[in-house]
Amino acid sequence: MELFDVTIVGGGPAGLYSAFYSGLRNMKTKILEVQPVLGGKVNIYPEKILWDVGGQPPMQAQLFVQNLVNQANTFSPTICLNTKVEQIEKINDIFVITTNSGEVHYSKTIIVAVGGGILSPIKLEVEGAEKYEMTNLHYTILGLERFRDKKVLVSGGGNGAIDWAVELLFVAKEVVVIYRKEQLTAHESQVEKLKKHGVQIMLNAEIQSVVSNDSKTAIEKVVISQNGDTYELQVDDVLISHGYNREKSLTFADDIQPLRKDDYYLVSQGQCKTSVPGIFGAGDIISYDDKVNLLIGTFQDAVLAVNNAKKYIDPQANEYGMVSSHNEKFAEKNKELLEELFCKTETSTNSK
Ligand SMILES: Cc1cc2nc3c(=O)[nH]c(=O)nc-3n(C[C@H](O)[C@H](O)[C@H](O)COP(=O)(O)OP(=O)(O)OC[C@H]3O[C@@H](n4cnc5c(N)ncnc54)[C@H](O)[C@@H]3O)c2cc1C
């Protein structure tokens, strides 16, 4: 039986930063992630340019994930992909974690970082729509270039849909947005951008059916109902952003049920502690007053969760860790990085 100090359930931003910080605090760390890749729901929007992560230049989400994964690997945690945690129980002070394949993992503490659970996009409820998923019906943007000079219909009015519509403005020939409600619910500044570009926004509107092209391989027209009327719209591509179904996969044994909100989010008892000693939470899964689910918040949660896990294992441990970058663990790495930097500066000076 290999016993870990911390087992992190979920390899999204909260889990990845927890792994980094846990290594910094000398804890033997493991990440269990259900998907074949790390990064969590940032993988839903790989092309999006992130502007709101403190101190980071604007960068595409896929690069941000790569940076997070590299940082998480700094102290070489054990990482198990394709591993869905199904049940957590506590036996003789050790957490016993069972996965979908029947494997069992053992840990002194747990950090639950499962975000919104296992997400899958809510599909377009139109007969036969699924057969166009291989061609021009999309539930995410994987490569903006694909939409160059196309007429794209975006269905949805929340942040996800409107962020995509704004990105498409730079490549698509035309963007049309339809939304079933009276008002778009996305950030005002993004909605403003659409309006400035003269994007057609149809409210109180829904896709009623789709009409395929002659070869029946792709959607050619979309039939839209709006306020009792019906319209046909010629399209090249259809992008659906109707939210996500969430699988509440993770269960806890009866004697270690953390306090939950809405039967799902773990209610924070302060400092990312849950109501069960030894189980901590970080990122979108943890709920407290005025919580905003953003990337920056996941990092602070992760630090608190890890520091409390450390304290749980070793009550004598320094309560708040240390100013991270002053940690002596970086001394050797700093030397290497500074030498590299010095070499680069020398080479560029010599070549002038
Ligand atoms: C469309 C969209 C755009 C966004 N844009 C921004 C933005 O511009 N700026 C910003 O700051 N934030 C943005 N966010 C929010 C940000 O992505 C989240 O706050 C962040 O990803 C939360 O990280 P997390 O690690 O808590 O959860 P997640 O990213 O959800 O990661 C949780 C991980 O846990 C795994 N998991 C779940 N259940 C299990 C299980 N039982 N066993 C094993 N693994 C499991 C999941 O597969 C996933 O990898 C956006 C979110 C969305 C949906």
Side-chain angles (χ1 to χ4, degrees):
M1 170 182 114
E2 192 177 4
L3 180 63
F4 282 76
D5 292 323
V6 183
T7 297
I8 300 159
V9 186
L16 290 169
Y17 198 75
S18 298
F20 165 73
Y21 211 81
S22 170
L24 188 63
R25 299 230 54 196
N26 275 335
M27 293 197 277
K28 186 174 171 179
T29 307
K30 183 188 268 178
I31 301 181
L32 304 175
E33 166 58 52
V34 62
Q35 301 293 349
V37 290
L38 296 167
K41 59 175 152 319
V42 187
N43 291 313
I44 290 174
Y45 50 94
E47 302 263 327
K48 182 176 175 183
I49 306 221
L50 299 176
W51 283 85
D52 56 349
V53 183
Q56 294 284 340
M59 73 171 82
Q60 276 198 310
Q62 57 201 350
L63 176 60
F64 179 75
V65 165
Q66 195 47 59
N67 290 343
L68 269 180
V69 172
N70 291 344
Q71 187 179 37
N73 275 313
T74 308
F75 302 108
S76 308
T78 297
I79 298 175
C80 307
L81 298 174
N82 299 305
T83 304
K84 175 177 162 190
V85 171
E86 289 193 331
Q87 164 87 0
I88 298 178
E89 53 194 321
K90 197 174 188 184
I91 302 172
N92 297 333
D93 269 348
I94 300 291
F95 289 102
V96 180
I97 305 150
T98 310
T99 71
N100 54 333
S101 65
E103 257 176 40
V104 178
H105 302 257
Y106 301 94
S107 194
K108 292 181 193 169
T109 64
I110 306 273
I111 294 179
V112 183
V114 297
I118 303 171
L119 300 182
S120 55
I122 296 176
K123 297 286 177 93
L124 178 63
E125 281 183 31
V126 159
E127 209 188 318
E130 63 288 345
K131 56 178 185 282
Y132 306 112
E133 287 180 27
M134 297 299 284
T135 52
N136 64 346
L137 176 63
H138 314 273
Y139 290 96
T140 188
I141 292 184
L142 295 174
L144 271 177
E145 269 308 308
R146 200 215 164 291
F147 300 95
R148 185 162 294 279
D149 299 329
K150 300 283 176 63
K151 178 170 179 175
V152 188
L153 174 70
V154 177
S155 177
N159 283 320
I162 302 309
D163 284 352
W164 276 334
V166 169
E167 278 180 48
L168 286 166
L169 291 176
F170 300 104
V171 288
K173 180 177 69 187
E174 188 181 343
V175 178
V176 178
V177 173
I178 68 165
Y179 190 37
R180 65 192 161 84
K181 294 188 183 168
E182 275 177 12
Q183 287 299 326
L184 299 178
T185 54
H187 287 301
E188 298 86 343
S189 61
Q190 293 289 80
V191 174
E192 251 341 278
K193 281 183 199 157
L194 293 185
K195 289 185 176 161
K196 249 191 188 157
H197 274 79
V199 168
Q200 183 185 358
I201 300 172
M202 300 176 72
L203 299 170
N204 295 314
E206 274 185 279
I207 298 177
Q208 201 175 63
S209 60
V210 291
V211 180
S212 65
N213 58 2
D214 289 343
S215 58
K216 310 251 178 271
T217 51
I219 299 172
E220 190 176 76
K221 283 185 212 158
V222 170
V223 180
I224 295 169
S225 64
Q226 187 185 34
N227 298 324
D229 293 322
T230 309
Y231 302 89
E232 267 193 8
L233 190 76
Q234 194 96 23
V235 291
D236 294 313
D237 285 275
V238 179
L239 180 60
I240 306 293
S241 178
H242 292 175
Y244 294 87
N245 290 311
R246 171 193 295 165
E247 190 193 323
K248 303 173 193 175
S249 53
L250 178 62
T251 58
F252 295 89
D254 286 347
D255 56 335
I256 53 163
Q257 284 292 328
L259 197 59
R260 284 168 181 253
K261 184 182 155 204
D262 301 336
D263 184 37
Y264 191 66
Y265 297 100
L266 301 181
V267 175
S268 171
Q269 309 284 293
Q271 308 231 323
C272 294
K273 292 176 189 167
T274 70
S275 54
V276 179
I279 300 183
F280 307 92
D284 286 2
I285 181 66
I286 201 97
S287 161
Y288 45 81
D289 285 350
D290 302 325
K291 176 82 192 283
V292 181
N293 288 340
L294 284 177
L295 294 163
I296 41 164
T298 66
F299 303 148
Q300 177 70 2
D301 285 353
V303 171
L304 293 176
V306 167
N307 280 344
N308 281 298
K310 179 82 182 175
K311 196 96 200 294
Y312 174 85
I313 294 172
D314 175 9
Q316 307 306 317
N318 178 349
E319 189 165 2
Y320 298 113
M322 53 293 282
V323 179
S324 309
S325 297
H326 289 183
N327 191 295
E328 61 183 30
K329 282 192 161 200
F330 293 122
E332 203 51 39
K333 292 182 196 289
N334 284 349
K335 224 170 108 194
E336 282 165 27
L337 284 172
L338 286 171
E339 266 166 23
E340 210 177 285
L341 214 64
F342 179 68
C343 283
K344 268 194 199 151
T345 321
E346 276 226 312
T347 320
S348 80
T349 316
N350 290 341
S351 64
K352 276 184 189 160

